[in-house]
Amino acid sequence: MTPRTDPGPPAEPDPDAAATAPLWRAVQAFRLVTLLYAVGQQVASVPHYTDQRLSWVLIALMAVWSGVSAVLLSQWRIQHSPRIRTAVVLGDHVVVIALIFATRLIANYDWYHGHQTLPTTLWAANAVVSAAILWGPLGGVCSGLLIAAAVVTTREQWDFDVWRDATAPVLISVGLALGLAANTARRAQQQLQRAVRLTAAAQERERLARQVHDGVLQVLSYIKRRGTEIGGPTAELAQQAGEQEVALRVLISEQGERADAGGPEQDLRPLLTAQATPIVFISTPGDPVPLGHWEARELSAAVAAALANVVQHAGPGAKAYVLLEDTGDELIVSVRDDGPGIAPGRLAEAEGQGRMGVSRSIVGRIAALGGSAHLLFEAPGGETVEEGPGAEWEFRVPRPPRRETDPPRRWT
């Protein structure tokens, strides 16, 4: 026997189709109502037709097409539903225009010049509505213009009377309004799905945090504590365990915020907190700090370069502290260490020797962002000594001001 394969979970429906599904169902009800109006109009107008039998045949075709198109357009879980809808909407326009011109086959000039065409304006609006939902306001307006042009051409009203007829304004207005409504529904669906994803990510992050805390983090913390107590060769193992503990905690806390929403900006905080270690302490606002992707990466790289200098020149026991401030007008990032500091003139001397690490990796990056980088104090003996040992870089990067409706920054 052939083993039966698991089909797996059902495929997630197309977000666009899910967003516009209520609109498609609603307009199909409108389609059936307009069909009843068209049939009533046929009953009232058939005595004035020159070919009454053909008019009833055309009305029957209109009814059949209304039923078929209503069923196909109201379904959004069937396979290839976008292609089917596109084909039906295009067919809708072909049927409507063909029936409009067929009015000349069943009535004389005196009748069709002063009355509605065989498919009434109300029923012909279904093609405009479908185009608006499928292609947006531009598609709806173009469809309205096309149907209105067909009506005016059939009735031979290319004169002053066309501007007093309500056909074109009604069809264009319907196409514009339904197109805007469809776009609004799509945006609402995207926001809903984004909120659902964020909620699911937060729940998963909390679940993983509990499991990791109960297992891995406790073990790493124990290894760090016991290795430090034992000393000797195990001290290095304790240090590595402590570094991995901090990195794992940062990974868990930033798991939800690291997701890129695909917008023009990203949160600067995760890029900075990812650089935290047992000797590097990061402090950021409690609210997101949005910044352009390139600007955020460059600013984070400048901080990483400053921290690399701390590791290389401040000594093995030095600690570093990074503070991010968002004043609204600019971002201020302070990178401070408690090492021996930088001797006065040492940076200029290194640059003169061709060592461009600070001038390019730090000062150059901040200058490229339109900001400034200042070394606030140096080693004892310098002219700017007020704070004691260590060194502190301050990066100032201008940014567009925050809106008045934005909430105040919270700090963690």
Side-chain angles (χ1 to χ4, degrees):
M1 296 178 60
T2 303
R4 187 173 60 181
T5 59
D6 185 7
E12 184 178 354
D14 181 18
D16 181 83
T20 56
L23 288 175
W24 285 116
R25 295 194 182 99
V27 299
Q28 301 324 308
F30 173 77
R31 182 185 295 268
L32 297 179
V33 171
T34 57
L35 175 63
L36 296 178
Y37 172 76
V39 172
Q41 183 69 19
Q42 164 70 10
V43 173
S45 303
V46 67
H48 305 281
Y49 292 156
T50 57
D51 194 336
Q52 299 181 7
R53 181 177 299 178
L54 179 59
S55 68
W56 283 111
V57 171
L58 296 177
I59 289 295
L61 292 176
M62 183 192 306
V64 171
W65 175 253
S66 297
V68 172
S69 58
V71 171
L72 293 177
L73 292 177
S74 61
Q75 302 298 319
W76 62 283
R77 292 185 180 273
I78 59 176
Q79 190 177 12
H80 307 304
S81 59
R83 294 182 181 179
I84 293 175
R85 279 185 175 157
T86 301
V88 173
V89 172
L90 292 176
D92 224 355
H93 286 74
V94 172
V95 172
V96 169
I97 294 175
L99 289 175
I100 289 174
F101 283 107
T103 306
R104 291 195 171 192
L105 301 177
I106 63 172
N108 55 30
Y109 174 82
D110 293 336
W111 175 260
Y112 62 69
H113 182 71
H115 296 81
Q116 292 192 71
T117 56
L118 176 67
T120 61
T121 302
L122 200 59
W123 188 87
N126 287 285
V128 179
V129 170
S130 298
I133 297 176
L134 186 63
W135 296 312
L138 180 59
V141 170
C142 291
S143 174
L145 289 172
L146 178 62
I147 301 300
V151 171
V152 172
T153 301
T154 300
R155 298 170 63 183
E156 296 184 6
Q157 288 185 334
W158 291 106
D159 51 23
F160 183 74
D161 290 339
V162 70
W163 306 108
R164 294 184 297 185
D165 187 82
T167 299
V170 168
L171 293 178
I172 294 174
S173 300
V174 168
L176 178 62
L178 266 295
L180 294 174
N183 284 353
T184 301
R186 292 185 179 96
R187 287 194 296 268
Q189 180 69 18
Q190 292 174 357
Q191 294 175 357
L192 175 62
Q193 290 187 330
R194 185 176 302 172
V196 170
R197 286 195 299 267
L198 291 176
T199 302
Q203 295 176 348
E204 181 67 12
R205 184 170 65 252
E206 293 177 0
R207 185 186 67 83
L208 290 175
R210 290 192 298 268
Q211 294 183 353
V212 172
H213 181 271
D214 294 340
V216 180
L217 289 178
Q218 290 185 356
V219 172
L220 291 175
S221 179
Y222 175 76
I223 294 175
K224 175 186 176 183
R225 184 176 65 255
R226 289 293 297 158
T228 304
E229 294 174 354
I230 296 174
T234 60
E236 182 180 358
L237 178 63
Q239 180 182 359
Q240 293 181 356
E243 293 176 355
Q244 294 302 314
E245 179 188 2
V246 172
L248 188 56
R249 290 185 185 275
V250 170
L251 176 63
I252 294 174
S253 63
E254 302 296 342
Q255 179 182 359
E257 299 177 2
R258 290 173 185 266
D260 187 3
E265 297 181 335
Q266 70 177 109
D267 192 357
L268 176 63
R269 299 176 303 161
L271 297 179
L272 297 183
T273 55
Q275 304 181 41
T277 68
I279 61 172
V280 177
F281 304 92
I282 312 290
S283 179
T284 62
D287 292 322
V289 182
L291 198 62
H293 288 273
W294 178 79
E295 291 83 356
R297 290 194 300 268
E298 289 296 295
L299 185 54
S300 174
V303 172
L307 294 177
N309 282 339
V310 173
V311 174
Q312 185 174 0
H313 302 292
K319 294 181 175 60
Y321 306 87
V322 179
L323 173 64
L324 171 62
E325 300 177 83
D326 183 5
T327 66
D329 297 329
E330 63 179 355
L331 296 179
I332 304 175
V333 182
S334 303
V335 182
R336 181 176 180 177
D337 66 76
D338 57 3
I342 301 176
R346 182 68 186 93
L347 296 181
E349 179 184 351
E351 186 174 355
Q353 295 173 352
R355 302 172 63 181
M356 312 298 290
V358 172
S359 63
R360 291 182 179 177
S361 299
I362 298 178
V363 179
R365 277 195 169 100
I366 301 301
L369 298 176
S372 59
H374 301 285
L375 183 61
L376 296 186
F377 56 88
E378 301 172 294
E383 296 180 356
T384 58
V385 175
E386 294 181 359
E387 303 289 339
E392 180 176 357
W393 283 99
E394 182 180 82
F395 308 144
R396 291 178 174 266
V397 177
R399 62 174 302 174
R402 292 188 293 116
R403 300 185 301 271
E404 295 182 0
T405 56
D406 288 347
R409 300 297 183 189
R410 302 189 306 271
W411 294 88
T412 57

